[in-house]
């Protein structure tokens, strides 16, 4: 054994000493050149020298050459700030970048110190690197450079303006061939209110419905730019196969006008694919990059998000829709504040975390929605929910890695079906004394002004056939009438709005409706019939508010009080007219209340999965947009069980994409 070890050491020393006579070339300092991969290395491994005790003199020479303070090739200092770029290899040994790049270009892919075979190869790009890679030119995409041995070379540009040119979709797209505008419908809570009575909290339902996708049109939806920010820390090692399949599903289902970039993060972050068109070579390169992912290191969520946002902020061209997909299975290991675990989120830019704006004024820069996916039982659900909540995205809780692809499919099914942009509703009082009191709209911004005479609700983008419901609560005064005649069609409010075309971004006026009721002196039985549509939306608001309150109680340790409040709300829900009529939404709310109670039975269960389940539900309700929560569970409706009806707010495009994912049968099913 000793003789074998001696021979290995001799070969190692011979390889190292062959470079001692080579002069070291000067290079730009690593801290001044962000293109070089110079992240702080992990601790050096401890190497046992018991096998070399008989060669102590040579052992001392070996230690000298592999010292972290000196380059093992030229034996010069590795101290930073001396005009020499430093490269840290996968095996943790440091070298001057030019020294080791000169070694690699001759085909030597092993560390001169420990002989470890490298996967990430240091390589100096030639001086004639095309401008596409150096300065972000918008010329045709040039494949990434490769070392002489064929290994891919990862070069981080100074500026992420190297996005691939967007195809011109304006030709042949006339206004007459564009999709239809959204539809606005209104319903009053009751058809009549007595003229001799006032009503302080009269509900009016305003329903917004987006048109379907028209696949006969060449450009029937908004093209998108997506940046996937993927956790590749050490804990992801056992999940990489299913993660790669899930991301490849995204790649295969984006269109020829869509672009995608990939950022990975562990202890540090890297952009491993610029924004590329998802067709032809762009998709092929993306697939190769995804299939080469490996997992190692810690979890630096902030570094990954900062790099992802740079991709969108520094791009030369812009698709009209831009989103980030963030996936992680752990907590940020760079956060050291034990009193406030979310303190590190304050370092995120305001374009994804608007509350970090120190001025307090509303920022004029665009906010990029981040759709977060926390999976497994160890992810930081509070952080993932806060990130999505602030940016305008949704938070999905992936309790089992097996459903990750379906969760991605649900999200992509929505993002690839945007048919209306920047939708806004306007509500105006139509009679003297009628006042707008409140417009509860979740996370959608709303504003009441002109002393309650006007209100607006900013809805944002709508997916194809997406439906959103808003309740407008009014104060209706007494209406003085002589005699007992019946007053027909007394106006309450006028509802209108506008949207932007999803492709051209032209503003389109939305035709609205006037809400009218009758004001008789005496109410007939038919006048007192409650609108079940309004009732079920009241139930949604009440259940959502109750779950949010119990979540705060659970965080403070009052699980017993939370259980009691959930039981009370469940009883109230079941007694309502819409629940007794068997509305699907009420059935889903009932199932959600029961599941929430179950996951709050003990502190351990709440920490284990309850918090993530509740926060994901709150995210979905606040935006009225589908998100994946835990395991998929059937909800009974009329004696039948349908696995696809369990996700509230799911659109036909989402359902279709999830079915496509399930039919592929790539991931194992339980």
């Amino acid at each position: 054994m000793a003789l074998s070890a001696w021979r290995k050491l001799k070969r190692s020393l011979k390889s190292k000493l062959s470079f001692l006579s080579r002069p070291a070339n000067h290079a730009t300092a690593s801290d001044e050149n962000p293109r070089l991969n110079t992240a702080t290395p992990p601790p050096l491994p401890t190497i046992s020298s018991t096998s070399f005790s008989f060669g102590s003199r040579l052992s001392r020479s070996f230690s000298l050459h592999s010292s972290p303070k000196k380059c093992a090739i030229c034996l010069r200092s590795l101290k930073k700030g001396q005009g020499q770029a430093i490269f840290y290899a996968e095996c943790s040994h440091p070298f001057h970048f030019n020294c080791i790049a000169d070694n690699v270009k001759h085909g030597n892919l092993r560390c001169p110190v420990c002989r470890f075979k490298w996967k990430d190869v240091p390589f100096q790009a030639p001086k004639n690197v095309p401008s596409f890679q150096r300065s972000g030119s918008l010329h045709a995409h040039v494949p990434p450079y490769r070392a002489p041995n064929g290994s891919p070379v990862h070069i981080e540009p100074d500026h992420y303006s190297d996005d691939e040119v967007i195809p011109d979709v304006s030709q042949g797209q006339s206004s007459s061939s564009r999709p239809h505008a959204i539809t606005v419908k209104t319903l009053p809570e009751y058809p009549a209110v007595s003229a001799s009575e006032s009503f302080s909290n009269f509900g009016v339902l305003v329903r917004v419905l987006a048109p379907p996708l028209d696949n006969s049109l060449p450009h029937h939806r908004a093209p998108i730019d997506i940046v996937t920010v993927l956790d590749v820390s050490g804990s992801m090692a056992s999940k990489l196969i299913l993660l790669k399949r899930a991301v490849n599903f995204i790649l295969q289902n984006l269109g020829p006008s869509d672009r995608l970039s990939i950022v990975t993060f562990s202890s540090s972050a890297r952009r491993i694919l610029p924004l590329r068109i998802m067709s032809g070579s762009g998709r092929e390169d993306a697939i190769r990059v995804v299939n080469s992912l490996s997992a190692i290191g810690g979890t630096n969520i902030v570094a990954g998000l900062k790099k992802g946002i740079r991709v969108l902020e520094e791009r030369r061209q812009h698709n009209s829709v831009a989103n980030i997909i963030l996936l992680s299975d752990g907590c940020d290991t760079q956060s050291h504040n034990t009193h406030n675990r979310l303190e590190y989120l304050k370092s995120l830019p305001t374009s994804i975390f608007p509350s970090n704006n120190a001025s307090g004024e509303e920022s004029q820069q665009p906010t990029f929605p981040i759709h977060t996916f926390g999976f497994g039982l160890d992810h930081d659900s509070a952080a993932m929910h806060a990130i999505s909540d602030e940016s305008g995205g949704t938070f999905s809780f992936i309790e089992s890695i097996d459903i990750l692809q379906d969760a991605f499919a649900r999200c992509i099914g929505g993002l690839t079906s945007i048919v209306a942009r920047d939708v806004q509703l306007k509500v105006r009082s139509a009679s003297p004394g009628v006042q707008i009191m409140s417009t509860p709209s979740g996370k959608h911004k709303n504003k009441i002004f002109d002393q309650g005479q006007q209100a607006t609700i900013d809805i944002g983008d709508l997916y194809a056939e997406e439906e959103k419901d808003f309740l407008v609560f009014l104060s209706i005064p007494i209406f003085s009438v002589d005699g007992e005649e019946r007053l027909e069609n007394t106006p309450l409010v006028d509802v209108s709005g506008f949207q932007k075309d999803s492709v051209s971004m032209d503003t389109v006026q939305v035709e609205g409706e006037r809400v009218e009721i009758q004001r008789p002196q005496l109410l007939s039985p038919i006048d007192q019939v409650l609108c079940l549509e309004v009732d079920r939306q009241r139930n949604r608001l009440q259940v959502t508010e109750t779950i949010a309150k119990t979540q705060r109680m659970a965080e403070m340790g009052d699980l017993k009080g939370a259980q009691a409040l959930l039981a009370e709300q469940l009883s109230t829900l079941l007694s309502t007219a819409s629940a007794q009529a068997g509305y699907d939404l009420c059935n889903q709310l009932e199932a959600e209340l029961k599941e929430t109670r179950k996951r709050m039975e003990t502190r351990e269960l709440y920490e284990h999965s309850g918090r993530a389940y509740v926060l994901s539900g709150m995210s979905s309700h606040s935006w009225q947009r589908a998100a994946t929560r835990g395991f998929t569970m059937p909800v009974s409706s009329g004696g039948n069980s349908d696995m696809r009806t369990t996700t509230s707010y799911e659109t036909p495009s989402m359902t279709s994409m999830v079915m496509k994912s399930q039919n592929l049968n790539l991931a194992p099913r339980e």
Side-chain angles (χ1 to χ4, degrees):
M1 292 294 293
L3 182 59
S4 175
W6 167 254
R7 287 174 178 170
K8 290 182 179 179
L9 175 61
K10 186 177 179 180
R11 286 197 298 268
S12 176
L13 289 174
K14 184 177 179 180
S15 174
K16 296 201 304 281
L17 293 173
S18 64
F19 297 97
L20 294 180
S21 59
R22 297 188 183 184
N25 298 325
H26 291 286
T28 305
S30 62
D31 56 339
E32 296 177 359
N33 190 348
R35 291 208 238 173
L36 303 179
N37 182 12
T38 58
T40 302
L44 293 174
T46 302
I47 303 176
S48 174
S49 60
T50 56
S51 301
F52 309 116
S53 58
F54 60 90
S56 58
R57 186 173 181 180
L58 288 175
S59 296
R60 288 193 297 270
S61 175
F62 181 87
S63 299
L64 174 64
H65 292 175
S66 62
S67 169
K69 298 181 181 179
K70 292 186 178 182
C71 174
I73 296 177
C74 68
L75 297 183
R76 295 184 182 180
S77 173
L78 286 171
K79 186 176 181 181
K80 294 182 179 180
Q82 293 186 347
Q84 293 265 44
I86 301 171
F87 174 82
Y88 289 100
E90 299 169 57
C91 54
S92 302
H93 291 119
F95 306 93
H96 288 129
F97 183 84
N98 279 2
C99 292
I100 199 64
D102 187 51
N103 182 27
V104 168
K105 76 179 182 181
H106 295 293
N108 190 345
L109 304 182
R110 293 186 179 273
C111 174
V113 175
C114 66
R115 308 306 296 163
F116 178 82
K117 187 174 181 179
W118 292 333
K119 295 179 182 178
D120 294 329
V121 182
F123 178 66
Q124 284 182 312
K127 295 181 179 180
N128 60 344
V129 172
S131 59
F132 179 88
Q133 287 188 294
R134 287 195 178 276
S135 61
S137 170
L138 290 176
H139 299 298
H141 180 75
V142 179
Y145 269 91
R146 297 183 178 272
N149 68 335
S151 301
V153 178
H154 179 72
I155 302 177
E156 287 270 3
D158 297 320
H159 197 267
Y160 292 151
S161 54
D162 53 354
D163 48 306
E164 190 170 3
V165 63
I166 298 174
D168 185 7
V169 300
S170 60
Q171 296 182 356
Q173 181 76 351
S174 64
S175 59
S176 61
S177 66
R178 299 244 168 83
H180 300 294
I182 63 173
T183 302
V184 176
K185 295 294 182 182
T186 59
L187 289 169
E189 188 169 8
Y190 293 97
V193 173
S194 172
S196 59
E197 296 180 0
S198 63
F199 209 123
S200 61
N201 199 33
F202 187 87
V204 172
L205 172 63
V206 180
R207 174 168 295 161
V208 180
L209 179 63
L213 281 175
D214 188 348
N215 294 318
S216 65
L217 298 177
H219 309 294
H220 54 281
R221 65 167 177 88
I224 58 176
D225 286 342
I226 294 180
V227 180
T228 59
V229 180
L230 307 175
D231 185 345
V232 292
S233 59
S235 61
M236 287 291 300
S238 62
K239 309 160 189 171
L240 270 185
I241 293 179
L242 293 181
L243 172 62
K244 292 176 182 180
R245 289 178 179 176
V247 177
N248 277 325
F249 180 85
I250 295 178
L251 307 180
Q252 296 292 350
N253 287 280
L254 294 178
S257 296
D258 301 323
R259 300 188 300 177
L260 179 132
S261 175
I262 300 175
V263 172
T264 60
F265 67 91
S266 52
S267 298
S268 58
R270 294 199 310 167
R271 190 208 64 172
I272 59 176
L273 183 78
L275 275 173
R276 297 291 310 277
I277 294 292
M278 284 298 101
S279 63
S281 62
R283 179 177 286 144
E284 292 173 0
D285 286 348
I287 292 173
R288 281 194 293 268
V289 166
V290 170
N291 291 338
S292 67
L293 293 177
S294 59
I296 191 173
T299 306
N300 194 336
I301 296 175
V302 169
L305 285 177
K306 284 184 174 180
K307 188 143 292 192
I309 202 65
R310 278 188 57 200
V311 172
L312 295 178
E313 290 180 339
E314 298 175 6
R315 55 191 167 150
R316 288 280 193 91
Q317 289 189 315
H318 299 72
N319 269 328
S320 60
V321 177
N323 285 259
I324 295 176
I325 290 177
L326 168 66
L327 177 131
S328 178
D329 73 335
C331 297
D332 195 301
T333 56
Q334 309 305 307
S335 174
H336 304 293
N337 190 328
T338 57
H339 299 289
N340 185 358
R341 293 185 298 111
L342 302 183
E343 181 73 19
Y344 68 95
L345 297 181
K346 292 184 177 180
S347 63
L348 290 173
T350 57
S351 53
I352 55 176
F353 218 83
S355 64
N356 286 341
N357 187 354
S359 66
E361 299 178 359
E362 186 173 348
S363 175
Q364 298 301 315
Q365 68 180 117
T367 300
F368 300 106
I370 304 177
H371 301 277
T372 59
F373 295 80
F375 65 92
L377 304 176
D378 298 321
H379 76 277
D380 190 345
S381 57
M384 300 294 271
H385 175 258
I387 292 168
S388 65
D389 206 43
E390 277 276 340
S391 64
T394 55
F395 164 49
S396 291
F397 168 38
I398 315 301
E399 194 161 7
S400 169
I401 184 66
D402 296 345
I403 63 171
L404 176 60
Q405 181 171 297
D406 291 349
F408 276 179
R410 182 169 289 110
C411 180
I412 291 299
L415 293 178
T416 56
S417 65
I418 294 177
V419 294
R421 304 290 320 280
D422 298 339
V423 178
Q424 185 184 74
L425 284 178
K426 292 185 176 181
V427 183
R428 183 190 298 269
S429 173
S431 290
V434 175
Q435 188 176 5
I436 302 170
M437 303 304 294
S438 65
T439 55
S441 54
K443 293 296 294 185
H444 296 286
K445 293 182 179 179
N446 65 78
K447 181 181 179 181
I448 298 176
F449 54 99
D450 193 15
Q451 297 181 337
Q453 295 301 295
Q454 298 186 65
T456 58
I457 302 175
D458 296 329
I459 300 176
D461 299 343
L462 285 178
Y463 302 158
E465 298 181 78
E466 187 170 33
E467 184 179 291
K468 296 198 176 187
D469 295 313
F470 302 94
L471 287 180
V472 178
F473 291 105
L474 307 175
S475 173
I476 302 176
I478 295 174
F479 198 86
S480 179
V481 180
D482 295 331
E484 297 184 0
E485 57 184 305
R486 187 180 186 89
L487 294 181
E488 305 285 349
N489 303 328
T490 302
L492 294 181
V493 290
D494 292 317
V495 180
S496 62
F498 68 85
Q499 69 177 80
K500 290 183 179 178
D501 182 89
S502 62
V503 178
S504 69
M505 295 300 288
D506 294 336
T507 300
V508 179
Q509 293 295 322
V510 176
E511 184 177 351
E513 290 188 342
R514 167 166 283 192
V515 181
E516 299 176 334
I517 61 171
Q518 297 172 339
R519 299 299 303 270
Q521 288 289 74
L522 297 175
L523 294 176
S524 67
I526 197 173
D527 292 333
Q528 303 176 55
V529 175
L530 172 67
C531 176
L532 295 182
E533 292 288 342
V534 174
D535 186 58
R536 73 169 187 158
Q537 291 305 318
R538 277 187 180 269
N539 286 337
R540 177 179 63 83
L541 293 178
Q542 291 172 359
V543 169
T544 303
E545 182 180 349
T546 296
I547 291 178
K549 186 175 181 178
T550 58
Q551 191 268 336
R552 293 191 294 268
M553 295 170 69
E555 292 295 331
M556 295 185 293
D558 187 10
L559 290 175
K560 185 176 180 180
Q563 289 274 318
L565 188 57
L566 288 168
E568 180 183 349
Q569 180 60 57
L570 179 59
S571 177
T572 301
L573 170 67
L574 295 177
S575 66
T576 62
S578 56
Q580 293 179 0
Y583 272 74
D584 284 343
L585 175 60
C586 295
N587 292 335
Q588 293 168 3
L589 294 173
E590 177 187 354
E592 185 173 355
L593 286 170
K594 291 179 177 179
E595 184 66 19
T596 302
R597 284 189 67 191
K598 178 181 176 182
R599 293 178 186 254
M600 287 187 178
E601 286 180 351
T602 65
R603 186 69 192 176
E604 180 181 6
L605 189 56
Y606 177 73
E607 296 281 356
H608 193 252
S609 65
R611 178 186 290 114
Y613 179 84
V614 171
L615 290 176
S616 180
M618 290 168 56
S619 171
S620 182
H621 286 305
S622 66
W623 294 109
Q624 295 189 61
R625 182 155 283 173
T628 302
R629 276 186 287 169
F631 293 106
T632 303
M633 298 178 298
V635 173
S636 177
S637 178
N640 297 321
S641 178
D642 186 350
M643 296 295 287
R644 290 184 298 277
T645 63
T646 62
T647 304
S648 301
Y649 314 114
E650 188 167 279
T651 67
S653 296
M654 291 178 170
T655 302
S656 176
M657 194 68 76
V658 172
M659 292 177 64
K660 185 175 183 179
S661 168
Q662 293 175 346
N663 290 337
L664 286 176
N665 199 26
L666 292 177
R669 307 287 176 184
E670 295 185 353

